[in-house]
Amino acid sequence: MHAQGEQSLARRIRAVAGAAWVALSFAVAQIVTVGERPALWQVGIVALLVVFAHVGVIRTRNGGSRQLYVWQATALALGLFLVPGPYLVVISILGPITLSVLLRHEVRKAVFNASVACLSSSAAVLVSLPFGIYRHSIKWERVFQPEVFVGLMLATLTAILLSPLLTALPVSAERHRPITSGLGPVYRTAIFVWARNFVLALLIAAALARSFLLALVVLAAAIPIHLLSAERTALARERAAWHRLQRAIDHLRSVDLHDVVREAAAAATEMVRADAAQIVVSRAAEEPLSFLADETGRERSESDFVSRATSVVPVRLATPEGDIGTLRLFFFKPVTLTATEWNTLDAFANALAVALANAVKFSALHREAEERIRAAHRDPVTGLGNLLMLEKEFDAAMRSRLDDDHVAIAVIGLDRFAEVNDILGAHPADLMLRSVAERLASVVRRCDVVGRLHGAEYVLLLRELAGPEAATAQAESAVRELGGTITAEGLDIAVDAHTGVACVPEDGVNLTDLLRRARLAMYKARNLDVPVYRYRPELEPPALAQVEMLRDLKDALGSDQFVLHYQPKFSLKSGLPVAAEALVRWQHPEEGLIPPGQFVPLLERCGLIGNLTRYVLGAAIAECATWYREGLPLAVAVNLSARNLLDEDLPRFVLDALASSGLPADRLICEITETAVFSRSPTASSILEQLRAAGVGLSLDDFCTGYSSLALLRERTIDEIKIDRSFVSDLGIGRRSTEIVTALIDLAHRCDIIVTAEGIETKEQQRLLAALGCDYAQGFLLAKPMPAPLVRQLFVDSLRVPGGLGAMPWHGSRQKWAASLP
C-alpha cells in the first residue's frame, strides 16, 4: 500500500508540474510574440510584491505538513493592474522559488510549489480577461471602477480557491484520503486572509494614485499589520487547540472501552493535527487492546503508518493505580509541538487515562454481570440451559412463530439414574449427565434448544415444525441417539430414556402447562416402554390419581396398611420348598389389594422406600421366626433397593430384628440388584460387608439384565444368583438363551454359588433347568405368591415327611448343601 501511495503521489506531482509547464510556456510565448511591453518599474514592483508575499507568510501546521497563507491576493490584484497577464504568470513563480531557496526545500517540493503558483495565477489571469483590467496607460482611478473591482475580486478569489485544491492532490495521495478531506478549515482561513490582502491591495492602489512614496508608506504600514495578523493567527490556533481539547474530552464520556478507544484516537489526531493516533490499553481484561486511526477517524493498519512516519510522539497514559496504556501520535513530516500543543496533549492524556480506567472497570463489572446472568441461565453440571434460559427461549420462539409453524416441548427422562447416583456415586452420575447432554446437543437442529430441568430430566424446545407428527419424529430421533452405554470411570452404564411431547398450540401455549403435560407423556412412555409418547388429555386423570396415591401412601406407612405375600422357592433336585420371597402388597381401605408395581416406583421417587423396606424386613423376619420355631428349615428373602444400600442404619436394624425374633441370620436372604451390588460407594460396600459378616445370605436378583460383569462374581461374596425370567422364557426356544443359561449355571457352580431360575411357567422349562443342574426354581408353575397362612400350610404339608430337609447352608459350601439333599 505504501508503494502504491508513492506512485500515486509522483503521478499527481508530475501532472501539476506538467500543466504548469504548459501554462508557463504559453505565457512566455505570449510575451515573445505580443509587442505590448509594461514599464520596467511596473515589472519590478510586481516581482517585489510576489517575493514579499511568499516570504512574509503566515504558517500553520496540518499533521506533518505546514499550510502557508501568503499575500497572494495583494500581489495578484496589483499585478493584474500593473502588468499584462503573461508577465504575471511568469513572475508568479519567483515567490515560491525564493521561499524554497530560503527554507531549503527539496527540489520536488520547490517545483510543485512553483507549479501551483503558476497555475493559480494563470487561472486568475483567465478570469480577469473579460474585464480588461490591464491598460498600457496607467490610470489609478480605474481600480475603483465597478467592472475592474469585480474582475479583480473574482480573479484573486479564483486563485485563492484553486491553490489549496492543487496542494491537496499530493497530500491526499500521501495520506490515502479523498482530495476534499480537510479542505473546509483551509478554505475558511484562506478566504479570511484573501479578504484582508485584497483590501490591502486596494489601499496600495489608492496610494499609488497619489504618489509612489505614499504607496511605500502604505506597504511599510502593512508589515506591523502582518505581524499583528500572525499573532492573532497564533492566538486563534491556541484557542482552536483548547476547543479541540474540549471536543476531544467530550468524546471520552462513554463507558464502553472500545468506544472510548475509537473516539479518543480520532479526537487525538484532530486535537494536535496528527496524521494518525494509536491507543494501546495494556490493562484491558483480555489481551492488550490496540486501535489506530487516521485523521479522518478511520481504523488503519499499524503497518501503514509505522514505516511512513518520520515523527512519532509517545505519551504515557497514567492513573494513580499505574500506567493503563500508551497514546502514540504519528506524523509524516518532522514536527515540533508547540508549548500550547504539549499542554493540550497532557490534559487530554490525563482525561483519557481516567476514561480508560473507568471503561476497563466498567467492562470488568459488565463481564462479571454477564457471567452471572449466564450462570443463572445455565446448569452447572452439563452446561445446558436451565429453566430460566428455557423460558427466555420459549418466549422468543412464541414471538417469532408463524401461523403455520408449530413449537413443541419434549421432556426426556433417564431411567435408573437415581440408582446410578446413589450406588455408583455423584461423579459417575455427573459424567453420565454430561455425556447425555453432549449427545443431545449433537443431534438436535440448529433452531432447537437443549436444556436440563433437574435430576435426570432433559428438555428439548423444538421449533419450526410442520405439525405434532414432526415434533414426535424429532423427539424420537433424539432419544434413539441416547441408546447404548456410557463409560464412566471404567464402568459401562446402560442409558435408557423415554420422552414425552407436548405441542403448541394443540396442548397449550404457556411453558408451565407444556412442561407438565410433556412430563405426563414421558411417564406414560415409560409405563408403555415406548421411546416417545405424545400428550393426550386422558393422561390428566391418572396424573391426579398419582398425587392422591402419594397422599394415601404416606397415610398407609403410618397405619399398617401393607401386607406380605410369599412366593415359595423350590429345589429342582428334590422338589421340596427351601425358602420364600416376601412380596409386599398394599391393602388399600377403598381400592383393595394393590400390587407393588403401582406404588413402589412412586415411593422410590419420593424417597419413602426406606420406610417400606424396614416394614417388610421386620414382618418377613417375624414370620420366618415362626417357621423356625415350628421346625421348618426355611429361609425368607427380602428385596433391597439401591437406595436402601445408602442407609447406614440398615445393618443395625436387620441385626436387631433378627435378635429380637430369635431367627438365625443364615435364614435371611437379602436380594439386591446388579446395579446395587456393582457399586464403588463406600456406604453400600460397608452395608453389604456388615450383612455378610453377620451371616445374612446375599442373592443377586435379575442377573444378566442390568450392569452385569464377571467382576461381580469375583469382587463380591455372592451366595446366589437369580436368572431373570427373560432367559427362562426362551429355554427350549432360543438356542442362544439356552447356551447362556447353561454357561451361567456352570460358571456359578464353579464359583460355589447357588443358582435360582425365576419365572418358570412350563413343565419343559422346569425339566430343562433340572437337567442343566439349576439348584432352585420360582414361578407360577410351582406356586404363586400367597398370604402368610397359606404359605405356612404349604411348607408344613411339604416338609413334615421322613428325611425332610435340614437348614439351608447359605454360606460356605454349595457342595455341602447339595450333599445334604435327600
Side-chain angles (χ1 to χ4, degrees):
M1 182 178 291
H2 179 55
Q4 293 177 353
E6 284 293 333
Q7 293 174 2
S8 178
L9 173 65
R11 285 196 301 269
R12 294 185 182 187
I13 291 177
R14 285 196 297 268
V16 172
W21 177 254
V22 172
L24 185 63
S25 299
F26 183 78
V28 171
Q30 289 290 312
I31 293 172
V32 173
T33 59
V34 176
E36 187 176 20
R37 300 286 187 273
L40 185 60
W41 69 270
Q42 293 174 283
V43 175
I45 289 177
V46 173
L48 288 174
L49 285 173
V50 168
V51 172
F52 175 76
H54 281 79
V55 174
V57 297
I58 298 176
R59 295 179 174 86
T60 62
R61 183 175 56 80
N62 185 16
S65 304
R66 291 193 174 272
Q67 300 291 335
L68 306 180
Y69 297 100
V70 300
W71 297 76
Q72 188 179 10
T74 302
L76 281 175
L78 292 174
L80 289 171
F81 185 75
L82 292 174
V83 297
Y87 282 83
L88 180 61
V89 172
V90 174
I91 294 171
S92 65
I93 66 174
L94 296 176
I97 290 176
T98 303
L99 182 63
S100 296
V101 171
L102 293 175
L103 298 181
R104 299 180 181 179
H105 288 161
E106 60 181 2
V107 175
R108 186 170 69 168
K109 186 172 183 179
V111 171
F112 178 77
N113 290 339
S115 300
V116 170
C118 179
L119 291 175
S120 59
S121 61
S122 299
V125 169
L126 290 175
V127 172
S128 68
L129 288 178
F131 298 95
I133 298 175
Y134 172 74
R135 290 290 185 273
H136 184 69
S137 59
I138 301 174
K139 294 181 179 180
W140 305 111
E141 63 272 11
R142 289 188 64 253
V143 175
F144 302 100
Q145 293 178 357
E147 64 275 11
V148 176
F149 180 83
V150 172
L152 287 174
M153 185 175 68
L154 292 178
T156 55
L157 187 60
T158 299
I160 292 300
L161 295 178
L162 180 61
S163 181
L165 186 61
L166 292 173
T167 304
L169 287 173
V171 173
S172 65
E174 186 179 40
R175 301 181 183 176
H176 306 286
R177 68 180 188 184
I179 295 175
T180 57
S181 177
L183 284 180
V186 174
Y187 275 137
R188 284 193 294 270
T189 304
I191 290 174
F192 171 77
V193 174
W194 164 81
R196 183 203 65 184
N197 293 344
F198 186 75
V199 170
L200 180 61
L202 296 180
L203 292 176
I204 294 175
L208 283 172
R210 298 293 182 181
S211 70
F212 183 73
L213 184 60
L214 182 60
L216 292 178
V217 172
V218 172
L219 188 59
I223 294 175
I225 295 175
H226 169 68
L227 296 176
L228 178 62
S229 178
E231 183 179 350
R232 290 179 61 83
T233 301
L235 291 174
R237 287 203 304 270
E238 184 172 344
R239 285 196 300 270
W242 287 109
H243 285 308
R244 290 195 299 271
L245 172 62
Q246 183 59 50
R247 290 197 302 271
I249 293 177
D250 288 342
H251 287 305
L252 306 180
R253 293 177 179 175
S254 174
V255 291
D256 181 86
L257 181 59
H258 290 82
D259 286 346
V260 171
V261 170
R262 191 162 42 246
E263 296 291 345
T269 59
E270 190 221 356
M271 186 182 63
V272 293
R273 304 300 188 189
D275 293 303
Q278 182 186 37
I279 295 176
V280 178
V281 184
S282 57
R283 276 172 37 198
E286 303 85 14
E287 58 185 21
L289 175 64
S290 176
F291 184 85
L292 188 147
D294 63 13
E295 60 191 37
T296 65
R298 293 181 302 168
E299 182 177 7
R300 302 294 294 272
S301 171
E302 185 173 351
S303 60
D304 292 343
F305 289 89
V306 172
S307 59
R308 298 168 55 199
T310 59
S311 293
V312 180
V313 178
V315 182
R316 285 178 55 216
L317 301 175
T319 66
E321 292 80 14
D323 289 358
I324 194 170
T326 304
L327 167 65
R328 294 201 298 169
L329 302 171
F330 296 88
F331 299 90
F332 290 156
K333 300 293 176 62
V335 298
T336 301
L337 297 182
T338 65
T340 300
E341 288 175 327
W342 274 116
N343 290 336
T344 58
L345 186 57
D346 288 341
F348 177 73
N350 291 333
L352 176 57
V354 174
L356 289 175
N358 291 337
V360 167
K361 292 176 183 177
F362 178 82
S363 178
L365 292 174
H366 183 65
R367 186 172 57 257
E368 182 180 347
E370 286 185 338
E371 289 175 356
R372 289 181 178 178
I373 292 173
R374 282 195 296 270
H377 287 75
R378 292 287 170 185
D379 170 49
V381 177
T382 64
L384 297 177
N386 57 16
L387 185 58
L388 286 176
M389 182 278 294
L390 190 63
E391 290 174 346
K392 179 180 178 181
E393 293 290 342
F394 180 78
D395 290 342
M398 292 298 290
R399 286 194 301 269
S400 62
R401 186 176 74 92
L402 301 177
D403 292 339
D404 55 349
D405 276 351
H406 281 67
V407 174
I409 292 293
V411 173
I412 300 176
L414 303 184
D415 298 342
R416 297 199 302 271
F417 172 76
E419 297 178 7
V420 174
N421 185 56
D422 292 343
I423 301 305
L424 301 183
H427 186 59
D430 288 347
L431 292 177
M432 178 181 180
L433 291 175
R434 282 193 287 270
S435 181
V436 169
E438 291 170 0
R439 291 189 186 183
L440 286 175
S442 66
V443 299
V444 298
R445 302 169 302 163
R446 287 187 176 182
C447 61
D448 299 332
V449 178
V450 184
R452 179 184 174 223
L453 294 180
H454 53 76
E457 283 189 358
Y458 297 82
V459 61
L460 304 182
L461 172 60
L462 305 174
R463 307 167 67 172
E464 300 179 10
L465 300 169
E469 296 77 12
T472 303
Q474 286 292 335
E476 186 169 359
S477 174
V479 77
R480 288 193 184 279
E481 288 294 326
L482 299 181
T485 60
I486 289 175
T487 302
E489 294 188 341
L491 308 178
D492 291 334
I493 305 173
V495 177
D496 296 319
H498 297 87
T499 303
V501 178
C503 300
V504 176
E506 290 84 358
D507 304 325
V509 292
N510 69 74
L511 184 59
T512 302
D513 289 343
L514 289 167
L515 283 173
R516 183 179 63 82
R517 289 165 183 170
R519 189 177 285 111
L520 292 179
M522 183 265 290
Y523 293 149
K524 186 65 174 180
R526 183 174 292 166
N527 292 336
L528 298 177
D529 196 21
V530 295
V532 180
Y533 193 88
R534 191 195 154 203
Y535 169 80
R536 291 186 176 88
E538 53 265 28
L539 294 179
E540 294 289 348
L544 296 176
Q546 274 207 331
V547 175
E548 295 178 359
M549 178 181 287
L550 180 59
R551 182 192 59 209
D552 293 344
L553 276 170
K554 292 179 180 179
D555 294 337
L557 288 170
S559 56
D560 295 331
Q561 293 181 14
F562 296 100
V563 295
L564 295 186
H565 284 195
Y566 298 87
Q567 184 173 23
K569 181 189 303 184
F570 294 89
S571 167
L572 285 173
K573 183 176 182 180
S574 66
L576 297 176
V578 294
E581 181 179 358
L583 303 172
V584 67
R585 304 288 189 265
W586 179 12
Q587 188 65 53
H588 194 282
E590 297 177 1
E591 302 295 331
L593 203 62
I594 300 177
Q598 295 185 22
F599 63 87
V600 168
L602 186 58
L603 288 174
E604 288 182 337
R605 289 198 298 269
C606 299
L608 299 175
I609 192 65
N611 297 343
L612 180 64
T613 300
R614 293 188 179 223
Y615 166 79
V616 174
L617 278 168
I621 290 173
E623 182 65 29
C624 189
T626 62
W627 304 340
Y628 175 74
R629 286 192 293 270
E630 293 181 10
L632 299 176
L634 302 167
V636 68
V638 177
N639 289 284
L640 299 183
S641 73
R643 289 183 180 271
N644 294 140
L645 294 185
L646 296 178
D647 183 359
E648 296 181 352
D649 289 334
L650 183 66
R652 181 183 56 80
F653 176 84
V654 170
L655 297 181
D656 288 346
L658 291 172
S660 61
S661 66
L663 181 69
D666 61 2
R667 299 299 178 94
L668 174 64
I669 308 165
C670 288
E671 294 190 2
I672 50 181
T673 63
E674 293 182 57
T675 303
V677 73
F678 194 16
S679 169
R680 295 180 181 175
S681 167
T683 301
S685 299
S686 175
I687 290 172
L688 292 175
E689 289 171 3
Q690 291 179 61
L691 292 175
R692 177 67 180 145
V696 176
L698 298 180
S699 176
L700 192 57
D701 199 9
D702 300 331
F703 191 69
C704 291
T705 61
Y707 303 85
S708 298
S709 169
L710 295 179
L712 292 174
L713 307 182
R714 182 191 65 192
E715 296 177 2
R716 301 291 186 198
T717 304
I718 302 298
D719 300 301
E720 176 189 42
I721 61 172
K722 298 184 75 173
I723 299 175
D724 187 71
R725 65 183 67 248
S726 62
F727 289 95
V728 174
S729 62
D730 281 346
L731 284 178
I733 301 174
R735 183 179 64 84
R736 188 174 295 272
S737 293
T738 303
E739 291 177 351
I740 291 174
V741 171
T742 302
L744 286 176
I745 292 173
D746 181 63
L747 178 63
H749 286 174
R750 289 178 182 272
C751 295
D752 202 14
I753 294 174
I754 296 169
V755 181
T756 298
E758 295 181 293
I760 298 177
E761 297 181 354
T762 67
K763 288 287 186 180
E764 179 63 17
Q765 293 170 355
Q766 182 182 8
R767 185 190 65 78
L768 284 173
L769 287 167
L772 293 174
C774 183
D775 301 311
Y776 298 154
Q778 266 183 292
F780 282 5
L781 174 68
L782 305 176
K784 295 181 179 181
M786 60 190 72
L790 293 182
V791 77
R792 178 176 172 277
Q793 188 60 46
L794 172 66
F795 291 159
V796 170
D797 294 341
S798 301
L799 294 176
R800 286 205 171 166
V801 295
L805 291 178
M808 293 172 48
W810 288 101
H811 301 285
S813 172
R814 178 190 167 276
Q815 287 79 7
K816 181 190 295 183
W817 166 83
S820 70
L821 290 175

